[in-house]
Amino acid sequence: MICENLGVNSLGHLTFAGLDTVELAEKYGTPLYVMDENRIRHNCRVYVNAMKKYFGENAGCLYASKACSFKKLYEIVGEEGFGTDVVSSGEVYTALKAGFPLENAFFHSNNKTDEDIAFAIDNGIGYFVCDNIEEVNAISEIAAEKGVTQKVLLRLTPGIDPHTYEAVNTGKVDSKFGSAIETGQGFEITKLTLGLKNIKLCGFHCHIGSQIFDSEIYIRGSEIMLEFIAKVKKELGFTAEILDLGGGYGVRYIEANPYIDIDKNIALLADFMKKTVAQLGIEMPKIYLEPGRSIVADAGITLYTAGTLKKIPGYKNYVSIDGGMADNPRYALYGSYYSVVSASRPEAECDMLCTLAGRCCESGDLIQENIRLPHDIKRGEKIAVLTTGAYNYSMSSNYNRLGKPAVIMIKDKEDFIAVKRETLEDIIRNDM
Ligand code: LLP
């Protein structure tokens, strides 16, 4: 199986985090997001331990909560020693309500509204990661009105194309995110920010992209950022206390995806960065990494109930399920790969080439094409889509007025509800 928290029990059913997925589907209904708390904690510890081991105490980890955001998650990552990356008042509010210490939160996004800025400052946000100079000015003005000095980082684009899929490339010069180093805008924004009252510049941030497997990309990114830090030190006399290198480590959605050894990657990165700061004659700033996907993706699966098996002779076979692009838009948006199994009989021969189709009124509502499932999938059979812990629940919608599925969690083989299923009443709650 694609991840070690998956198995098969004596009934021949798929197990996840030690529990029978068919029983879970029957108990809570489908579609159902199922998350493995122990796996999330394990994934957090891999980062925290490696950062300590290779960078020392002056390093930290932030959970990029856009990957999956609900109260329980902030609680878990906080307990594991993570700060968090938030991108909206909604994420700030969720973290706040979870009792997450907001001084450990970094507010990203390429366009924070005045309301976002005021709300985050009022609630004691640790840092804003500023995208551009207009935004720094807006934060400065709002901080002045409130009589506070706000800590910020500047988001820079190091000009790297990580060769992952286009929609999630963010570190290129022409990206909508950040201020480019190559064009001189990165330097300009630094100079201007240093001149602002009510703003304390603490350092820099970059995020190269997502689903990256090549450790060289991070190494190259860190080199560009450290060279920039050396330049602003020399030319502006500014010492960056923090360098946040963003998120992006890839996960295995299908067998063909490589396995990433995070510990080894961080070791290589730290080794390179230590040599580079020595060469540049600067101090090592406090280093942050900001993983999202690699914390939660393999800690989640989605369970569905099969409906019709439609065979179109000479063309295609469709297995339809009771969810789709409303709970997982990633295939429709990016053509993302997933592994799919029958949860009811994961060991049955998969002798039918088919498409897993959602229930939305849209031809593009597919979860995966060209997969193999047993040829006699029956109405009522449970289907599992694996590695759905990241960017599924957080990207879900109410398209076709479908209610969002529940998120249940499993901890030490005990299951509990983390997010309730939306009811029909929830669907109309804001209708006047
Ligand atoms: N930091 C920043 C500033 C980011 O923009 C992101 C992701 C992360 C950290 C976390 O990256 P991760 O470790 O999760 O790769 N919806 C897309 C992914 C968009 C990623 C956006 N930014 C998907 O479903 O693949």
Side-chain angles (χ1 to χ4, degrees):
M1 292 269 189
I2 195 91
C3 185
E4 61 211 37
N5 52 2
L6 294 158
V8 182
N9 66 12
S10 56
L11 296 171
H13 295 167
L14 179 74
T15 61
F16 182 64
L19 296 188
D20 185 316
T21 57
V22 176
E23 269 179 30
L24 290 172
E26 280 161 4
K27 178 171 172 184
Y28 294 103
T30 56
L32 184 68
Y33 298 116
V34 187
M35 297 199 77
D36 174 355
E37 179 172 336
N38 296 45
R39 184 75 195 180
I40 297 172
R41 289 184 184 276
H42 163 85
N43 291 342
C44 287
R45 285 171 200 172
V46 169
Y47 274 96
V48 169
N49 293 340
M51 289 300 277
K52 270 213 187 103
K53 191 157 47 155
Y54 303 115
F55 283 104
E57 290 304 318
N58 197 29
C61 301
L62 307 173
Y63 168 59
S65 61
K66 70 207 79 182
C68 192
S69 173
F70 51 83
K71 279 165 47 183
K72 183 71 188 172
L73 260 181
Y74 292 100
E75 215 180 288
I76 296 171
V77 298
E79 282 169 10
E80 293 300 329
F82 267 57
T84 189
D85 147 4
V86 289
V87 293
S88 67
S89 293
E91 287 184 358
V92 170
Y93 189 69
T94 312
L96 192 67
K97 289 291 170 181
F100 192 88
L102 279 188
E103 68 264 25
N104 298 334
F106 289 58
F107 198 129
H108 289 70
S109 143
N110 64 312
N111 189 18
K112 302 159 188 73
T113 65
D114 289 354
E115 290 76 19
D116 284 333
I117 295 167
F119 181 71
I121 292 179
D122 286 344
N123 286 294
I125 194 87
Y127 301 82
F128 284 102
V129 182
C130 304
D131 188 89
N132 56 71
I133 195 61
E134 262 185 59
E135 190 173 277
V136 188
N137 281 324
I139 294 170
S140 173
E141 274 170 33
I142 295 170
E145 277 164 25
K146 294 181 182 294
V148 298
T149 298
Q150 180 59 49
K151 292 186 283 186
V152 304
L153 305 184
L154 298 178
R155 179 166 181 165
L156 304 176
T157 38
I160 294 177
D161 177 356
H163 299 296
T164 55
Y165 46 108
E166 191 59 35
V168 294
N169 277 348
T170 55
K172 293 187 342 186
V173 174
D174 61 356
S175 164
K176 79 164 181 172
F177 295 101
S179 303
I181 293 179
E182 191 184 305
T183 59
Q185 283 166 311
F187 189 77
E188 248 348 88
I189 186 178
T190 306
K191 216 161 63 182
L192 289 165
T193 303
L194 286 170
L196 288 175
K197 273 206 255 163
N198 299 96
I199 293 283
K200 177 176 169 11
L201 179 60
C202 297
F204 301 100
H205 168 275
C206 68
H207 171 76
I208 296 164
S210 219
Q211 190 61 353
I212 297 172
F213 289 99
D214 183 354
S215 61
E216 271 304 309
I217 289 170
Y218 287 97
I219 287 177
R220 179 70 189 123
S222 74
E223 183 177 32
I224 295 170
M225 295 300 285
L226 289 172
E227 281 168 356
F228 182 81
I229 286 173
K231 177 181 158 81
V232 296
K233 170 138 202 230
K234 187 160 165 249
E235 296 178 24
L236 302 174
F238 170 69
T239 303
E241 290 162 29
I242 293 179
L243 172 57
D244 177 349
L245 291 169
Y249 280 116
V251 301
R252 295 185 76 216
Y253 287 103
I254 52 170
E255 300 285 346
N257 290 147
Y259 168 76
I260 288 203
D261 184 337
I262 301 283
D263 183 89
K264 192 170 147 215
N265 268 265
I266 294 176
L268 288 172
L269 183 66
D271 187 47
F272 174 82
M273 289 181 75
K274 283 177 193 162
K275 285 188 196 133
T276 308
V277 291
Q279 274 164 14
L280 293 168
I282 54 171
E283 292 286 302
M284 179 74 89
K286 177 167 185 174
I287 303 300
Y288 280 100
L289 289 183
E290 223 167 51
R293 191 190 311 268
S294 52
I295 298 299
V296 284
D298 67 5
I301 62 170
T302 309
L303 298 175
Y304 299 100
T305 301
T308 315
L309 166 57
K310 181 178 286 180
K311 295 188 171 178
I312 310 176
Y315 290 91
K316 250 180 165 174
N317 303 316
Y318 286 100
V319 174
S320 53
I321 48 169
D322 56 352
M325 66 191 298
D327 61 78
N328 180 1
R330 296 189 70 257
Y331 187 75
L333 268 176
Y334 319 120
S336 308
Y337 291 114
Y338 281 105
S339 303
V340 181
V341 291
S342 164
S344 305
R345 42 185 181 139
E347 291 180 319
E349 193 190 344
C350 291
D351 50 359
M352 172 179 65
L353 189 67
C354 61
T355 292
L356 194 68
R359 61 177 294 192
C360 291
C361 292
E362 186 146 331
S363 310
D365 174 22
L366 308 174
I367 294 288
Q368 202 65 195
E369 290 177 284
N370 298 315
I371 52 166
R372 290 193 169 271
L373 286 171
H375 69 275
D376 54 348
I377 290 277
K378 289 183 190 59
R379 192 175 175 87
E381 186 160 346
K382 304 303 172 204
I383 305 287
V385 178
L386 309 180
T387 328
T388 57
Y391 303 109
N392 275 228
Y393 172 66
S394 64
M395 293 177 76
S396 63
S397 75
N398 291 117
Y399 186 42
N400 288 178
R401 292 239 133 173
L402 293 169
K404 292 188 186 178
V407 183
I408 66 137
M409 298 197 85
I410 302 170
K411 184 183 188 196
D412 301 334
K413 298 196 180 173
E414 296 287 331
D415 51 292
F416 62 94
I417 298 174
V419 183
K420 283 193 295 186
R421 181 179 299 287
E422 284 185 349
T423 62
L424 293 176
E425 272 311 307
D426 290 328
I427 295 290
I428 59 155
R429 70 182 176 274
N430 294 322
D431 294 10
M432 302 302 281

